Amino acid sequence: NAGVMQNPRHLVRRRGQEARLRCSPMKGHSHVYWYRQLPEEGLKFMVYLQKENIIDESGMPKERFSAEFPKEGPSILRIQQVVRGDSAAYFCASSYGGDGVETQYFGPGTRLLVL
Amino acid sequence: AQSVTQLDSQVPVFEEAPVELRCNYSSSVSVYLFWYVQYPNQGLQLLLKYLSGSTLVESINGFEAEFNKSQTSFHLRKPSVHISDTAEYFCAVSRGLSGYSTLTFGKGTMLLVSP
């Protein structure tokens, strides 16, 4: 039973380029969450999605960041025109249901470095 | 809104010594509580969680945590640590009501176990 998959594990981009981070949830999970971990900080919620719907994007920066979870395929977190401050580890989590009681299972993360 | 405070950024201990990692939370509604562990360059793994019932919860590898509602705390303890317990530990809360809820994390505590 594969866990949450994220790729790439490491991503290097130059300022102004685009970064695409992919997340495949655990089998049977239809709820996906993205979190960002800045150096020496805890994880901060970014966005919560169900299939084809964004439920809560209150943690997403207003510009340059977008997320989707299409009917088929992985969830994508897209960062346009990256800046050095975007350098962080981005974690995806999935759960079977969306209630607070549901355990969120985390992927290994994508570590983005912006040069 | 919820918040989580982990008072210690680093806790150094010797192998086989007891350890306590502190976690306090703030919330206007009931919460569910979680401890996650993150080994270097890996994702977060659920260590234990409190949803309801007995206020003392245990993990399979000897950790335990006690929910104290009056002190709004959920401290993590282990009577005898191993070198392999060296990792970063994150306390998190989710809203304990129906409907979706995302995780709010503390900044993490780095447990450093030395021989």
Side-chain angles (χ1 to χ4, degrees):
Chain A
N1 185 15
V4 178
M5 310 286 284
Q6 287 188 252
N7 65 79
R9 295 288 304 274
H10 299 274
L11 182 62
V12 180
R13 286 288 178 264
R14 297 191 181 281
R15 282 178 296 170
Q17 291 184 319
E18 177 180 288
R20 277 185 180 242
L21 288 61
R22 286 176 288 279
C23 168
S24 297
M26 284 180 70
K27 188 176 181 180
H29 288 189
S30 59
H31 299 256
V32 166
Y33 313 79
W34 285 93
Y35 293 84
R36 177 165 64 173
Q37 184 180 30
L38 293 167
E40 301 187 11
E41 292 282 330
L43 278 73
K44 302 287 187 189
F45 166 74
M46 298 181 74
V47 61
Y48 162 47
L49 310 103
Q50 295 179 28
K51 283 284 187 182
E52 300 185 277
N53 286 303
I54 296 174
I55 307 301
D56 184 342
E57 55 182 348
S58 59
M60 288 270 274
K62 296 291 181 233
E63 297 177 353
R64 303 187 296 108
F65 284 72
S66 62
E68 62 177 8
F69 189 16
K71 187 176 180 181
E72 301 291 338
S75 175
I76 306 286
L77 179 68
R78 182 181 177 206
I79 312 172
Q80 295 178 291
Q81 299 175 333
V82 295
V83 300
R84 289 212 173 111
D86 297 333
S87 295
Y90 292 82
F91 290 95
C92 167
S94 73
S95 65
Y96 178 76
D99 282 352
V101 69
E102 294 284 345
T103 296
Q104 293 183 23
Y105 295 87
F106 283 77
T110 294
R111 282 152 181 85
L112 172 65
L113 176 63
V114 180
L115 300 177
Chain B
Q2 303 111 52
S3 66
V4 177
T5 301
Q6 291 183 248
L7 295 168
D8 305 300
S9 59
Q10 267 194 19
V11 173
V13 293
F14 290 108
E15 194 173 18
E16 297 184 7
V19 70
E20 178 180 83
L21 306 182
R22 296 179 290 173
C23 171
N24 289 87
Y25 69 91
S26 172
S27 177
S28 57
V29 299
S30 60
V31 295
Y32 301 123
L33 294 149
F34 305 81
W35 275 100
Y36 282 85
V37 58
Q38 184 181 30
Y39 298 100
N41 296 315
Q42 294 187 26
L44 278 71
Q45 301 172 29
L46 179 67
L47 193 59
L48 47 75
K49 61 183 177 182
Y50 171 78
L51 303 179
S52 65
S54 171
T55 56
L56 185 66
V57 289
E58 299 177 352
S59 72
I60 59 172
N61 57 354
F63 283 94
E64 65 178 29
E66 185 161 19
F67 170 55
N68 187 319
K69 188 175 182 179
S70 63
Q71 297 189 6
T72 60
S73 68
F74 191 54
H75 301 331
L76 182 69
R77 301 184 184 95
K78 189 170 185 180
S80 175
V81 294
H82 302 288
I83 297 285
S84 60
D85 292 326
T86 294
E88 188 139 29
Y89 292 79
F90 291 96
C91 181
V93 301
S94 68
R95 193 176 60 217
L97 301 171
S98 61
Y100 82 89
S101 181
T102 60
L103 289 170
T104 300
F105 285 88
K107 289 189 174 184
T109 297
M110 186 68 200
L111 176 62
L112 298 164
V113 183
S114 53

